[in-house]
Amino acid sequence: MANSSTGESVIRRVVRIMDAFTREQPALTPAELARAAGLSTSTAHRLATDLAAEGLLARTPDGRFAVGARLWELAARSTPLEEFRRRGLPFLEGVHAAVRQHVSLAVPDLDTGTVLYVERLDQHGNAVKNLGEVAARLSLTETSPGLAILAFSPPDVRERALALAAQAVSGGSAHDAASGLRAALAEVRRTGYCRLAGVLVEENVGYAVPVFGEGNAVVGAIAVVMPLEDERAELVLPVLVSAGRGLSRAMGAERRPYGERAWLRPRADGQ
């Protein structure tokens, strides 16, 4: 692949262009696209025009660029994430109908230490702020689905995530942060679910259970977010646990891959 004068590949420049589009700015003028991608206007315009010719970008009536339908088409037909979303949606709808709160599906990106949200159903009329938008990424160690996934990941994966989290703090608090996370993950493994309150949004509490796939490897999580003042673990946990078990079977996990772990029969008090 031919490189630019700076040594950057064409593919990398294309990725920068695609990364420029956000939920807040879904359409950009050539100049805006160039600034957001960190490219010259001529380079950005040329690459965007080529992408539009292939349907990966589209032109709006006022001449701006936007993500094209063909990009969605290619992703929907081939990505494993779409399969997880498709199989998980009925379970997500069941949880949503029962608890009437924000519910979501998330998968891990262990290379970046994040969870990627692939589906979300909202509680209309609820003013709770939920950062887990579809296609948003949040930290593995600062979200309930992230901790639920991490707790059941291989030990080397957990240690890598703990090291990344420790780098975000300084001094002696780094050791305390790692120790606190280890204890939190051990508790998730003991109970089989994660409860996380007031971390990214002070007024929120999140619950999550892991989802397992073939070989009983953890592949994602189902989560519920609600106002802390409206917390009802006795309502959320049984429904969430049942959905986690059902989706795990749908994803190819063995019928009883979790032995006698508590999340098969959560305590009524939610502890």
Side-chain angles (χ1 to χ4, degrees), residues 129-143:
K129 183 178 181 180
N130 184 5
L131 302 181
E133 300 276 359
V134 173
R137 291 177 182 269
L138 295 173
S139 169
L140 272 170
T141 56
E142 295 182 326
T143 58

Side-chain angles (χ1 to χ4, degrees), residues 84-94 105 119 121 247:
F84 181 65
R85 190 202 69 81
R86 183 183 66 80
R87 293 191 181 197
L89 188 55
F91 297 97
L92 207 65
E93 290 172 338
L105 283 175
E119 186 58 272
L121 300 177
L247 181 51

Side-chain angles (χ1 to χ4, degrees), residues 110 113 140-141 146-166 177-179 181-190 212 218 261:
L110 301 176
L140 272 170
T141 56
L147 291 178
I149 291 167
L150 203 55
F152 291 93
S153 296
D156 63 312
V157 172
R158 293 201 300 270
E159 290 304 313
R160 190 162 69 246
L162 289 170
L164 286 173
S179 297
L181 279 171
R182 283 193 178 90
L185 294 175
E187 179 67 6
V188 174
R189 287 192 296 277
R190 184 185 73 81
F212 300 87
V218 63
R261 288 188 182 128

Side-chain angles (χ1 to χ4, degrees), residues 30-236:
E32 290 170 339
L33 182 57
R35 284 195 298 273
L39 299 170
S40 69
T41 301
S42 60
T43 297
H45 188 270
R46 175 174 54 81
L47 290 174
T49 300
D50 289 345
L51 291 167
E54 299 298 331
L56 300 177
L57 291 183
R59 297 300 293 266
T60 64
D62 61 1
R64 293 184 295 171
F65 288 99
V67 175
R70 191 179 179 200
L71 193 63
W72 171 84
E73 177 189 356
L74 292 172
R77 96 163 55 132
S78 60
T79 177
L81 297 183
E82 177 59 23
E83 179 69 7
F84 181 65
R85 190 202 69 81
R86 183 183 66 80
R87 293 191 181 197
L89 188 55
F91 297 97
L92 207 65
E93 290 172 338
V95 175
H96 188 255
V99 304
R100 303 188 65 79
Q101 298 289 346
H102 297 287
V103 296
S104 59
L105 283 175
V107 296
D109 184 341
L110 301 176
D111 291 334
T112 62
T114 61
V115 287
L116 174 64
Y117 289 83
V118 298
E119 186 58 272
R120 184 177 109 171
L121 300 177
D122 293 336
Q123 174 52 37
H124 296 295
N126 192 328
V128 64
K129 183 178 181 180
N130 184 5
L131 302 181
E133 300 276 359
V134 173
R137 291 177 182 269
L138 295 173
S139 169
L140 272 170
T141 56
E142 295 182 326
T143 58
S144 59
L147 291 178
I149 291 167
L150 203 55
F152 291 93
S153 296
D156 63 312
V157 172
R158 293 201 300 270
E159 290 304 313
R160 190 162 69 246
L162 289 170
L164 286 173
Q167 290 175 8
V169 296
S170 59
S173 58
H175 178 269
D176 295 340
S179 297
L181 279 171
R182 283 193 178 90
L185 294 175
E187 179 67 6
V188 174
R189 287 192 296 277
R190 184 185 73 81
T191 63
Y193 68 87
C194 177
R195 174 189 179 274
L196 195 63
V199 176
L200 293 179
V201 179
E202 186 176 355
E203 299 82 8
N204 286 1
V205 59
Y207 285 90
V209 295
V211 175
F212 300 87
E214 294 183 2
N216 295 333
V218 63
V219 295
I222 304 178
V224 173
V225 172
M226 67 182 71
L228 192 55
E229 63 182 17
D230 192 34
E231 183 176 9
R232 289 170 291 168
E234 72 282 357
L235 170 64
V236 171

